[in-house]
Amino acid sequence: MSALVLAWRNVLRNRRRSFVTLLIAALGTASILVAGGFAQYTYDSLREGAAREFGHLTVAHADYFDKDEESPLQYGLEGHEALVAELERDRRVRRVLPRIELSGLISNGDKSMIFMGIGADIMAEAAVRGPFLKLVAGELADGDRTDGPPRVLLGVELAESLNARPGSSLTLIGTTAAGGMNAMDVEVAGTISTNWPDVDKRLIYAGIGTARRLLATDKVGMLAVFLQETGDTPALRAELEARDPVHAFKPWWEQSAYYVSVRDLYDRIFGLLGVIIAALVFFSVTNTLTMAVAERTREIGTLRALGAAPADIVGEFVREGVLIGGIGAGLGMLVAGSTMVALLMFDIQMPPPPGRADAYPLRLYADPVFYLLTSLVILALCAAAAWLASRKAAARPIVEALGHV
Amino acid sequence: MIELRGIGKRYRVGDSIVPALSEVSLTVPHRAFVAIRGPSGSGKSTLLNICGLIDGFDDGSYRLEGENVGALNEASRTLIRRRHIGFVFQSYNLVPVMSVRENVEYPLRLAGVSDNERQRRVDAVLAQVDLSDQAERRPDLLSGGQRQRVAIARALVKKPALVIADEPTANLDTATANRVIELMRELGRQYGATFLVATHDDRMTAHCDQVRTMRDGVLQ
Ligand SMILES: Nc1ncnc2c1ncn2[C@@H]1O[C@H](COP(=O)(O)OP(=O)(O)OP(=O)(O)O)[C@@H](O)[C@H]1O
Ligand SMILES: [Mg+2]
């Protein structure tokens, strides 16, 4: 008879009570794993989303991120073509795309709206990033054509306000790099949606050449560097910063306030949830073993009289706690794993996260390290509960324990 | 082997102090079979608990095999109990989730006796208490007499110097009680153990080397 067999028999002494406790440990483990798996999946999607939006690294003038420009592109990049070529020589880099942030007024002749836009190589962006914009009407077009007015993409809500459709003519009005005013006629190529209603109210996408003409400059605002592997971002950033003190290199996570805030929020929600569940498991096991200890007081006294040390007694209860915790954690992992597989088979859509308009599929990640750590924490909690429940009874005067009924 | 000198023990009950033992002196030689009798509440259990090192005392001294055990801490007393003292309780106190064999084996596990040796000694003592055929059963399936024989086997299997038996026959009918008493005497001799038995039972005293009577905490 091994010590664990004895512990198991003791666990079975009150089957119903032990079963309920085991169930709580299992459900607790499963809840932590499911919630954590969901958070990890969400972080991962947001990470890829953010990297796709901003590029893994953004390269800009050293002062671009920190200082306010007095005129557009005061801290823009000059002669960026050489920098692009140099960056693209690294085989970890997939593509480097120039961008210019634009703002100004857009008018249909009767009505003017403020726009916040991006000048970019639209076709190249689409090629690198995949379908990054949802085209609502019209077409994605290379805005910088020479055989007609430049073409732009409008956010759906902005297009609605201006009563514009693909083919409509509009005028962009902005401040040039030198500080003067400039206006430019453009044609609407299509309307787009980012699924962020607040963004779609002001968004325009123009070609990079169009943007430079509107600002009357040779500069670009920044370079978006797309990598083959998201995981290479920190290393490449460090190398670039060491090699090139002239420019600023910002990784995607510093650019995406959304990723950071969702992660903060979820970390807090799921962290709190985890603590509550852990406490629940802990108190449930403590309760069960405290009852078991009380019921077995006379037996504890007997074993102590026969020469068992308090540590032997506590050890027995800890083994019982660990058995309950271990089997519970095992079952919990099974439940969480099956939930993950079930979600792959049945497509369930999650409602849009705060500030967004698009639903997304509910998926879970099953990170082995996370599974292992969670089970270890559950085991440790059960062992600690058993220790707490039994240490007093184990050290109680033997005569008192023997007289206990 | 046991030398008690002027042992006193008091219990505090609320504000008053109840003397349980006063000025108890007792000398028990090796291999003796000694009965302590006396009316209920006279202090028999208190005396046996002190002798079995599961309870302390307030006055006097206790030498066990020459060692002043009154001065020892709980860990040292545990070690002495583990190696040298066996217990037989009035209500058997077997562990219900262990088989008869496992109950008897338990003290040997505590003492760190090897697997083979354990097996051998458990088989031998179970044969001596005539329970070889019940070895794999759980104690709750046995009769009271059988259970007390398991308890005797459990007390003796480690070859203790001293066995403490507090009213071992109080829960048994006469015939069974006689058998249990005979078994204790017989095996006590074979295993070379000193027996200290508390009893109301006059059948017991007929078999004893020494019979002492306790009255109001005083040994006569
Ligand atoms: N834990 C305790 N607290 C207070 N008084 C106690 C305690 N244990 C025993 N006593 C008292 O000590 C005295 C001796 O008790 P003890 O149990 O030793 O007697 P006993 O001879 O074994 O009696 P019985 O034949 O009923 O078993 C009694 O007066 C009893 O009430
Ligand atoms: Mg008594």
Side-chain angles (χ1 to χ4, degrees):
Chain A
M1 177 200 54
S2 81
L4 272 185
V5 172
L6 178 65
W8 180 239
R9 288 188 204 157
N10 275 323
V11 167
L12 292 183
R13 267 167 115 152
N14 191 325
R15 273 163 215 252
R16 207 176 58 89
R17 193 172 65 203
S18 297
F19 177 73
V20 169
T21 314
L22 211 138
L23 213 63
I24 289 174
L27 288 178
T29 310
S31 319
I32 292 175
L33 292 178
V34 166
F38 171 69
Q40 286 168 343
Y41 164 73
T42 307
Y43 299 160
D44 201 63
S45 325
L46 289 176
R47 182 163 58 235
E48 292 312 316
R52 224 167 351 137
E53 184 178 348
F54 297 100
H56 295 96
L57 283 171
T58 305
V59 183
H61 186 282
D63 293 329
Y64 183 82
F65 295 113
D66 304 329
K67 293 195 182 160
D68 284 330
E69 294 178 323
E70 281 161 23
S71 58
L73 292 189
Q74 182 187 354
Y75 302 122
L77 289 173
E78 234 155 331
H80 68 276
E81 289 84 355
L83 192 53
V84 169
E86 189 197 326
L87 286 166
E88 283 187 341
R89 266 202 300 277
D90 194 307
R91 55 183 174 71
R92 287 167 293 185
V93 174
R94 217 164 108 224
R95 193 74 201 268
V96 179
L97 297 173
R99 291 178 182 175
I100 295 174
E101 285 178 343
L102 285 176
S103 62
L105 293 175
I106 182 165
S107 167
N108 63 4
D110 301 323
K111 184 179 180 188
S112 298
M113 303 284 295
I114 293 171
F115 72 83
M116 312 277 288
I118 293 170
D121 183 341
I122 295 169
M123 298 318 277
E125 296 261 348
V128 172
R129 292 161 65 180
F132 69 105
L133 293 171
K134 193 157 85 193
L135 195 64
V136 178
E139 54 175 2
L140 288 183
D142 175 14
D144 295 334
R145 62 176 180 175
T146 45
D147 55 340
R151 300 170 76 189
V152 298
L153 299 169
L154 292 195
V156 265
E157 308 209 4
L158 181 59
E160 250 167 57
S161 315
L162 290 172
N163 217 353
R165 273 171 296 282
S168 303
S169 284
L170 299 168
T171 307
L172 299 181
I173 303 154
T175 314
T176 65
M181 294 295 288
N182 196 5
M184 188 175 183
D185 288 332
V186 296
E187 186 186 302
V188 178
T191 56
I192 53 175
S193 167
T194 58
N195 285 317
W196 297 79
D198 282 345
V199 173
D200 292 344
K201 232 168 9 199
R202 309 205 187 289
L203 181 67
I204 81 162
Y205 258 86
I208 190 93
T210 309
R212 287 162 92 178
R213 267 174 55 207
L214 184 66
L215 298 178
T217 180
D218 292 337
K219 294 179 181 176
V220 298
M222 66 195 111
L223 300 176
V225 181
F226 293 89
L227 305 186
Q228 309 281 5
E229 301 289 342
T230 303
D232 286 336
T233 312
L236 187 63
R237 176 202 192 192
E239 283 172 38
L240 290 172
E241 278 179 342
R243 198 167 70 207
D244 177 356
V246 179
H247 295 106
F249 301 90
K250 245 194 186 186
W252 58 267
W253 61 85
E254 285 180 20
Q255 291 276 66
S256 177
Y258 185 70
Y259 170 83
V260 173
S261 57
V262 169
R263 182 156 193 157
D264 272 3
L265 179 71
Y266 278 19
D267 276 352
R268 262 182 238 174
I269 293 174
F270 291 125
L272 183 66
L273 193 73
V275 169
I276 291 171
I277 292 170
L280 212 69
V281 171
F282 179 79
F283 287 122
S284 170
V285 175
T286 306
N287 182 51
T288 294
L289 289 176
T290 303
M291 285 200 264
V293 166
E295 286 162 7
R296 279 150 64 188
T297 300
R298 208 160 66 101
E299 184 174 313
I300 292 170
T302 305
L303 300 181
R304 293 272 290 113
L306 297 183
D312 297 323
I313 305 294
V314 171
E316 167 58 29
F317 283 99
V318 166
R319 277 189 291 276
E320 290 170 32
V322 165
L323 265 182
I324 290 175
I327 296 173
L331 282 177
M333 286 197 269
L334 221 64
V335 170
S338 323
T339 309
M340 180 193 73
V341 174
L343 285 174
L344 286 177
M345 298 197 306
F346 307 101
D347 186 43
I348 295 175
Q349 293 287 318
M350 286 297 284
R356 306 211 53 169
D358 52 338
Y360 61 108
L362 175 59
R363 295 259 187 284
L364 303 178
Y365 271 14
D367 175 11
V369 175
F370 182 61
Y371 270 49
L372 187 75
L373 282 180
T374 304
S375 334
L376 287 181
V377 167
I378 293 289
L379 269 186
L381 283 175
C382 292
W387 175 79
L388 214 70
S390 63
R391 85 204 148 99
K392 253 192 167 153
R396 183 179 179 157
I398 296 168
V399 173
E400 209 180 293
L402 281 171
H404 188 94
V405 269
Chain B
M1 114 139 258
I2 291 179
E3 273 182 87
L4 298 177
R5 291 275 165 275
I7 294 289
K9 177 149 182 96
R10 292 174 288 276
Y11 287 108
R12 187 181 304 273
V13 180
D15 287 339
S16 57
I17 288 175
V18 183
L21 296 179
S22 41
E23 284 295 322
V24 171
S25 294
L26 174 69
T27 305
V28 179
H30 278 116
R31 293 159 180 263
F33 199 93
V34 176
I36 310 288
R37 62 177 186 186
S40 188
S42 58
K44 304 183 294 295
S45 297
T46 307
L47 177 62
L48 260 60
N49 292 341
I50 291 169
C51 291
L53 296 186
I54 57 177
D55 204 356
F57 48 89
D58 300 311
D59 316 307
S61 71
Y62 175 14
R63 289 185 162 303
L64 181 63
E65 302 275 29
E67 187 176 4
N68 180 11
V69 290
L72 295 176
N73 63 14
E74 180 50 37
S76 312
R77 294 202 277 171
T78 298
L79 279 183
I80 294 180
R81 286 197 308 273
R82 186 181 295 175
R83 298 203 188 110
H84 304 300
I85 304 179
F87 285 87
V88 178
F89 301 94
Q90 176 177 340
S91 38
Y92 329 121
N93 292 19
L94 301 175
V95 180
V97 294
M98 293 184 189
S99 68
V100 165
R101 165 183 297 285
E102 288 160 353
N103 267 285
V104 174
E105 200 181 2
Y106 183 80
L108 297 181
R109 285 182 174 274
L110 280 181
V113 174
S114 74
D115 277 10
N116 283 339
E117 175 72 4
R118 268 197 332 253
Q119 181 85 14
R120 202 182 58 68
R121 275 158 76 172
V122 172
D123 284 343
V125 76
L126 281 179
Q128 284 167 322
V129 298
D130 199 14
L131 284 172
S132 299
D133 54 338
Q134 308 288 332
E136 306 311 327
R137 302 186 82 184
R138 294 286 175 91
D140 46 354
L141 299 173
L142 306 183
S143 70
Q146 286 175 318
R147 289 189 211 184
Q148 202 56 305
R149 273 144 59 202
V150 176
I152 292 168
R154 178 177 69 180
L156 285 170
V157 71
K158 63 185 172 194
K159 303 197 169 85
L162 174 64
V163 175
I164 301 290
D166 194 350
E167 314 220 22
T169 57
N171 287 1
L172 303 174
D173 62 72
T174 305
T176 315
N178 281 334
R179 171 119 199 254
V180 163
I181 294 164
E182 269 165 35
L183 200 59
M184 285 198 296
R185 274 253 62 170
E186 169 70 26
L187 290 182
R189 222 172 268 133
Q190 282 185 31
Y191 278 80
T194 301
F195 267 73
L196 199 54
V197 186
T199 186
H200 289 295
D201 195 339
D202 288 333
R203 294 165 305 195
M204 178 78 81
T205 52
H207 297 75
C208 295
D209 301 323
Q210 201 187 132
V211 178
R212 300 291 294 273
T213 305
M214 196 93 194
R215 192 151 282 135
D216 294 332
V218 179
L219 198 59
Q220 296 171 338

